[in-house]
Amino acid sequence: MGLVNFLIRILHTKAVNAFIVDNNKLLTVKRKEMPWPGMYVMPGGRIEKGESEEQAVIREVKEETGYDIKVEKYLATGIFRYYFVPYSVAFYKARITGGKEHIQHEEISEIKWMSLDDFLDNLKENKFSMKGIDRLVKIVEPHFVSM
């Protein structure tokens, strides 16, 4: 998919991400496609027509990782930019309730549990904006256990 087609598709798009932590590690997936190809991100994606945010996050986690989840609570919505296009992402804390790890190979190349520091380093290496990283830290950091 070309950049122009991608940007047209995400205009006025709302997305969801699942924040899933186990043993102080964050569940991440490595993207193959835009946005952020090659970057580890939280599982998630666009909300489909007729879906609630909670339904979308459950579907996206299942599609990308094979895991079944229970959404525990809404955390926050952040506004991020991909190139010059703003979009909103609602973050939901969830826990794995079943399923078996399985990579959705069309969009995802790897599933990885990461420490918060490693995850943030990954964002910096992939040139995610510092403003975006700061917003994300404010959303997720309180949910990690201090070691």
Side-chain angles (χ1 to χ4, degrees):
M1 173 186 325
L3 178 60
V4 172
N5 288 336
F6 171 76
L7 294 174
I8 290 169
R9 190 178 65 137
I10 69 165
L11 287 173
H12 309 292
T13 294
K14 185 158 188 182
V16 291
N17 275 6
F19 175 75
I20 301 169
V21 175
D22 187 29
N23 292 320
N24 224 29
K25 300 280 185 172
L26 176 66
L27 178 64
T28 67
V29 295
K30 189 173 186 180
R31 295 204 44 86
K32 283 185 175 180
E33 298 182 345
M34 292 183 211
W36 301 293
M39 186 197 282
Y40 289 96
V41 298
M42 288 178 252
R46 293 185 306 136
I47 300 168
E48 293 181 357
K49 188 174 182 175
E51 269 185 326
S52 69
E53 290 181 353
E54 292 86 354
Q55 289 168 328
V57 78
I58 290 167
R59 175 186 51 78
E60 286 286 351
V61 170
K62 183 68 172 179
E63 287 177 1
E64 293 180 356
T65 69
Y67 290 125
D68 299 316
I69 62 166
K70 176 172 178 26
V71 175
E72 294 183 336
K73 72 178 187 174
Y74 166 80
L75 297 176
T77 297
I79 305 298
F80 299 91
R81 290 185 182 275
Y82 189 74
Y83 288 89
F84 60 89
V85 179
Y87 63 97
S88 67
V89 179
F91 293 87
Y92 283 86
K93 186 174 183 180
R95 64 181 167 80
I96 295 173
T97 58
K100 185 176 178 182
E101 185 175 298
H102 174 77
I103 297 172
Q104 184 236 42
H105 291 283
E106 289 178 14
E107 298 176 10
I108 306 301
S109 63
E110 184 181 354
I111 296 170
K112 186 175 184 178
W113 292 90
M114 303 178 86
S115 70
L116 179 59
D117 288 340
D118 288 345
F119 180 67
L120 296 176
D121 287 345
N122 149 73
L123 296 180
K124 291 173 191 170
E125 289 169 10
N126 284 280
K127 299 182 177 34
F128 196 78
S129 78
M130 290 310 294
K131 283 184 181 180
I133 291 171
D134 290 343
R135 282 188 209 109
L136 194 55
V137 167
K138 287 177 185 169
I139 292 168
V140 302
E141 191 173 43
H143 301 279
F144 277 86
V145 178
S146 297
M147 304 284 296

